[in-house]
Amino acid sequence: MAQKYQSIMVGWDEWVSLPELGLVAILAKVDTGAQTSALHAVNIRAYEKDGVERVKYVVHPLPDRPEVEIECDSQVVGKRNIVSSNGDAEERYIVRTPIRLAGQEWPIELSLTNREDMQYRMLMGRSTMSGRIVVDPDRSMLCGELSTTLYDEIDKEDGQSRKLKIAVLSREPENYSTSRLVDAAVSRGHSVDVINTTRCYMNITSKKPDIHYQGVSLPEYDAIIPRVGASITFYGMAIVRQFEMMGAYTLNSAEAIGASRDKLFAHQILAREGIGMPVTGFAHSPSDVRDMLKSVGKAPLVLKLLEGTQGRGVVLAETQKAAESVIQAFRGLKANILVQEFIAESKGADVRCVVIGNKVVAAMKRQAEEGEFRSNLHQGGSASAVKITAQERAAAVKAAKSLGLRFAGVDLLRSNDGPKVLEVNSSPGLEGVETVTGINIAGQVIEYVERAIHRRRSGSVARRKY
Ligand code: ADP
Ligand code: MG
């Protein structure tokens, strides 16, 4: 019997497209060990429309570019228990969509799974190949590469100004930053609710994730802008996570907020990424303190409470003896502290860089009061606009990115040895920096959110253009 189509020779990985989902280019691993093909997706949410079960999900088709997000929506054609290569069984939704490869197009079934740590965002199983594909397992990309530039074109096309439903999570609706964000969103035509994070409550065992607030169930928001204060990090993260599960785009993820709040963890990540920072040490046992101090260097040393903010938990110890006794005192209070080399040449000044996405959008210098080394405005420091160097810019962007923050305030000290990152704040205050620079940061935050959401929903644009 004559074949209706020519068979396609493929290697162990191939670029394919799933045009109906807007996934114009995705590198699939050919997996003859698997029956069904799999697509790696996050935020998988089932819902019902006209009596039909459907599923919404987000795909990051390019593992190296997590900012490329495509929101997909498919009819569910089944559910199946699937055992993955690591032996875990999981019930997965099955969807049907056309695949395009080597000039041919045919419908396939895909299971949705959220193991995003996989290097390949799609696995092509035997059912997809059925008679059509011949595999040469020793070779790679026999059908050529697909361009991923369409994902960028989608992004350039400015967000067709769709009205968004935005929630700002904040306990202080009246404060400068919150009201600026609200005003910026409203003036760009969006609707905004300010939600008091600590007044949200939820039933986490419910099948359909939702959040209750003042006796009612919150609506589905397109985007969440979390302004989670340090004192409620833990609960705030849980609420942000719940919004993520409901499918909202969150400007900063719960995970990133948590990483930046834990000073020790944040320092470990920054160090791992090779970002310049003051030499920093940490010890638990009092008997190791002296040795640890030695490894950080000679006095003067800066001691910091892990949980401190606004300069309150930061002390300068002029001598080794002073450093030891301060540590002992803090220990008695069961407080965790870290020890840092003192960057004297910064002369009581630090630089706050406000990062949105891959850019520093504004920067200010904060100068400590006479006789004070802490430049925090809460400690009497004064702010002024400052021009930063390319090296400082790069360090700030890298620091925010390494913690996974899309909106951040990165503080750095100017040392003889280049910029040293001190801390990365996931809810940077806008008042000081907007006032001294005159830059509309709130507006830029909202524009960024618009672009991100547009990109997510751009599957339809890709479908049209393809
Ligand atoms: P906080 O979270 O309380 O603001 P920081 O680590 O930002 O704590 O420290 C507060 C201020 O103290 C900084 O803005 C800076 O001016 C000063 N400072 C902190 N660490 C050092 C250091 N290692 N060398 C010199 N000055 C420092
Ligand atoms: Mg600080």
Side-chain angles (χ1 to χ4, degrees):
M1 200 178 73
Q3 268 186 319
K4 285 199 290 293
Y5 36 75
Q6 245 189 325
S7 58
I8 305 168
M9 176 74 99
V10 302
W12 53 266
D13 60 355
E14 289 297 338
W15 284 93
V16 304
S17 45
L18 305 172
E20 272 189 10
L21 301 179
L23 297 167
V24 292
I26 185 164
L27 184 59
K29 183 173 176 209
V30 175
D31 183 2
T32 50
Q35 172 65 24
T36 318
S37 293
L39 184 62
H40 295 295
V42 290
N43 287 349
I44 303 174
R45 288 149 282 143
Y47 70 104
E48 228 186 75
K49 195 177 162 193
D50 305 328
V52 176
E53 188 171 21
R54 300 187 63 86
V55 69
K56 286 184 185 174
Y57 49 99
V58 173
V59 177
H60 297 124
L62 308 175
D64 301 333
R65 293 185 50 197
E67 76 278 12
V68 176
E69 294 192 319
I70 304 290
E71 168 129 332
C72 307
D73 184 335
S74 308
Q75 185 177 335
V76 174
V77 298
K79 277 182 217 164
R80 217 168 287 161
N81 257 315
I82 292 186
V83 181
S84 66
S85 53
N86 62 15
D88 296 336
E90 144 187 83
E91 186 173 66
R92 296 187 192 166
Y93 292 105
I94 309 288
V95 300
R96 187 175 291 142
T97 194
I99 188 172
R100 208 176 282 179
L101 172 62
Q104 295 189 32
E105 187 173 310
W106 69 98
I108 64 163
E109 288 193 348
L110 285 165
S111 70
L112 301 179
T113 174
N114 61 7
R115 293 186 307 141
E116 272 251 309
D117 47 338
M118 303 293 287
Q119 185 54 26
Y120 287 93
R121 295 300 153 88
M122 182 176 161
L123 296 180
M124 221 153 71
R126 291 191 303 278
S127 65
T128 294
M129 307 174 198
S130 62
R132 205 180 270 268
I133 286 179
V134 182
V135 185
D136 181 345
D138 295 328
R139 297 166 71 190
S140 165
M141 297 184 212
L142 294 180
C143 302
E145 274 190 53
L146 288 181
S147 162
T148 60
T149 54
L150 205 46
Y151 291 125
D152 299 309
E153 263 179 57
I154 295 160
D155 190 43
K156 270 186 242 143
E157 227 172 71
D158 198 24
Q160 290 148 347
S161 56
R162 196 174 70 86
K163 188 174 174 218
L164 300 176
K165 228 176 143 41
I166 299 176
V168 178
L169 298 186
S170 166
R171 288 206 290 170
E172 298 162 300
E174 306 298 330
N175 96 358
Y176 178 93
S177 303
T178 308
S179 40
R180 284 282 300 133
L181 288 163
V182 170
D183 291 349
V186 168
S187 74
R188 296 181 66 86
H190 307 304
S191 75
V192 194
D193 293 334
V194 178
I195 292 175
N196 180 341
T197 326
T198 51
R199 300 297 304 278
C200 293
Y201 53 99
M202 56 211 172
N203 173 355
I204 51 170
T205 54
S206 140
K207 261 210 154 143
K208 188 175 168 297
D210 69 348
I211 296 177
H212 294 269
Y213 189 65
Q214 298 171 343
V216 294
S217 200
L218 285 177
E220 276 190 21
Y221 289 101
D222 296 301
I224 303 296
I225 300 178
R227 308 279 308 168
V228 176
S231 59
I232 57 150
T233 299
F234 207 63
Y235 197 69
M237 279 170 65
I239 298 296
V240 173
R241 243 186 329 261
Q242 190 80 355
F243 276 113
E244 285 168 9
M245 282 191 267
M246 289 168 68
Y249 169 85
T250 58
L251 180 56
N252 282 333
S253 69
E255 200 188 352
I257 295 169
S260 66
R261 275 295 150 68
D262 179 339
K263 280 193 184 183
L264 185 59
F265 184 44
H267 279 83
Q268 286 174 313
I269 294 177
L270 298 178
R272 185 188 67 197
E273 297 295 317
I275 293 163
M277 50 193 261
V279 178
T280 303
F282 183 77
H284 185 74
S285 165
S287 47
D288 297 326
V289 164
R290 195 166 291 182
D291 230 25
M292 184 269 286
L293 285 178
K294 241 192 260 153
S295 81
V296 173
K298 287 204 164 53
L301 291 164
V302 178
L303 311 176
K304 296 184 186 182
L305 277 177
L306 273 190
E307 307 282 315
T309 56
Q310 303 178 341
R312 261 181 264 126
V314 181
V315 187
L316 181 62
E318 306 272 4
T319 65
Q320 211 75 12
K321 265 264 141 319
E324 279 175 39
S325 47
V326 173
I327 289 178
Q328 240 107 52
F330 278 141
R331 263 292 138 66
L333 301 169
K334 296 248 181 306
N336 282 316
I337 62 171
L338 56 80
V339 180
Q340 228 167 38
E341 107 187 77
F342 177 55
I343 309 292
E345 64 267 28
S346 67
K347 299 199 179 73
D350 74 352
V351 175
R352 157 63 61 100
C353 303
V354 178
V355 178
I356 303 178
N358 288 324
K359 278 209 296 245
V360 175
V361 297
M364 68 173 169
K365 182 172 154 173
R366 294 176 298 199
Q367 180 66 53
E369 265 182 339
E370 193 63 38
E372 170 62 67
F373 79 103
R374 295 166 301 173
S375 58
N376 302 67
L377 302 183
H378 288 92
Q379 304 296 338
S382 56
S384 56
V386 69
K387 207 171 145 36
I388 59 170
T389 66
Q391 198 190 9
E392 289 165 344
R393 207 168 273 280
V397 169
K398 193 169 175 191
K401 204 172 177 136
S402 70
L403 292 169
L405 293 170
R406 298 186 262 237
F407 179 40
V410 180
D411 296 340
L412 36 92
L413 294 176
R414 291 180 154 165
S415 84
N416 295 335
D417 197 16
K420 304 270 190 196
V421 173
L422 270 189
E423 62 171 343
V424 185
N425 192 314
S426 59
S427 299
L430 299 183
E431 186 163 16
V433 64
E434 280 197 339
T435 307
V436 300
T437 62
I439 294 171
N440 177 4
I441 299 173
Q444 294 196 42
V445 167
I446 303 299
E447 274 176 51
Y448 180 84
V449 168
E450 288 168 6
R451 279 199 304 276
I453 291 177
H454 180 57
R455 197 200 270 272
R456 260 193 176 198
R457 293 176 194 279
S458 55
S460 61
V461 182
R463 281 197 289 279
R464 242 191 4 255
K465 285 201 160 188
Y466 196 70

